[in-house]
Amino acid sequence: MKKPSFKIIGITLKPNSTPEFYNLLPNLCAWLLRRKKQVVFREEDKERVHKFFKQKSTDGLEFWNSKNFHNKVDLMFSLGGDGTLIGACRRINTKIPVLGINLGRLGFITEFNKNEYFDRLTDIMEGKYETTTKPLFHVSISKKGEEHFSDYFFNDAVLAKNDIARMIYLRAEMGHEHIYNLAGDGIIISSPMGSTAYSMAAGGPIVHPDVKGLVLTPICPHSLIHRPFVVPDTAPIQLKILPPHHSVTLTLDGQVAINVDEQDVVTINGSKVKKITLIKNPERLYFETIRDKFVFSKKD
């Protein structure tokens, strides 16, 4: 079924400038403006957007503060890699669909690459598109029952040591059940979408994104019996730092980092999620993407 067309288009740029912006951005903005779309960037990107246009006119472009930018556009373009897309999804109003365009190398989450998205743009602007919804999982840190940190992650939450040649000790629980006490470099709690990222590099399984669950992957565990687990997301996972305590950091999607103390409890709540909406590429298939990105088989 045809959906309402978009009028206000937000464009999120990867933090690091890339030469591709000098050609892609002016052409994309001109295409949108010719179709009477409002084209909006963040205020903090104004100076570098003008640089990307060089001698070309930036008339018609708008620059909004972060609050309006992430809440009042109709469609958000994410120009960059998976990290740019994840950063946009963490901040955006959940009702706003995101169109991910990959300008990086891997681009596993971004649905479109820089060479193919333009072919689909007319249909998307006319409301001829499909979407998929994905969860952002809630994580909190509490001390003596009082919460002092709360946020969400798309790919993974990583609890890891800061010190070289030091192990950390933690207790992992799911609901009221003890999973194990872990000694090692840390642990990764990954969503199915994030299972192809740090978790996979640390020996975790690839989990289809339609699976409802979480992956617990130890990082360099001291014991051979501590293996990755795929668990349902119906019960909260709790991580508690055990003595002797060393410097430990909780990192969300590689973008937010906070120190964790010995008496802190990190809780990942799979039942408390917020949904984000992604524009689907109708020609992109999951297992084909796996083969393409990770070169499992050159013959298939």
Side-chain angles (χ1 to χ4, degrees), residues 17 57 132 212 219 228:
S17 297
S57 173
T132 181
K212 294 183 179 180
I219 306 171

Short mmCIF file of all heavy atoms in Angstrom, two decimals, residues 17 57 132 212 219 228:
data_model
loop_
_atom_site.label_atom_id
_atom_site.label_comp_id
_atom_site.label_asym_id
_atom_site.label_seq_id
_atom_site.Cartn_x
_atom_site.Cartn_y
_atom_site.Cartn_z
N SER A 17 34.58 13.93 7.70
CA SER A 17 34.29 14.31 6.32
C SER A 17 34.92 13.32 5.35
O SER A 17 35.97 12.74 5.61
CB SER A 17 34.83 15.72 6.04
OG SER A 17 34.18 16.67 6.85
N SER A 57 25.47 26.88 -4.99
CA SER A 57 24.56 27.58 -4.09
C SER A 57 23.99 26.65 -3.02
O SER A 57 23.68 25.49 -3.30
CB SER A 57 23.41 28.18 -4.90
OG SER A 57 22.43 28.73 -4.04
N THR A 132 11.10 -1.72 7.90
CA THR A 132 11.28 -2.75 8.91
C THR A 132 11.55 -2.06 10.23
O THR A 132 12.16 -0.98 10.26
CB THR A 132 12.45 -3.69 8.55
OG1 THR A 132 12.59 -4.70 9.56
CG2 THR A 132 13.77 -2.94 8.43
N LYS A 212 14.22 -13.11 18.37
CA LYS A 212 14.01 -12.27 19.55
C LYS A 212 14.86 -12.81 20.69
O LYS A 212 14.49 -13.78 21.35
CB LYS A 212 12.53 -12.24 19.93
CG LYS A 212 11.66 -11.56 18.89
CD LYS A 212 10.21 -11.49 19.33
CE LYS A 212 9.36 -10.78 18.27
NZ LYS A 212 7.94 -10.69 18.69
N ILE A 219 34.62 -11.90 26.57
CA ILE A 219 35.80 -11.40 25.88
C ILE A 219 37.03 -12.00 26.55
O ILE A 219 37.31 -11.73 27.72
CB ILE A 219 35.88 -9.86 25.94
CG1 ILE A 219 34.57 -9.23 25.43
CG2 ILE A 219 37.06 -9.36 25.12
CD1 ILE A 219 34.51 -7.72 25.67
N PRO A 228 29.85 -18.43 24.50
CA PRO A 228 28.72 -17.52 24.21
C PRO A 228 27.38 -18.20 24.43
O PRO A 228 27.23 -19.41 24.19
CB PRO A 228 28.92 -17.18 22.73
CG PRO A 228 30.37 -17.44 22.46
CD PRO A 228 30.73 -18.60 23.34
#
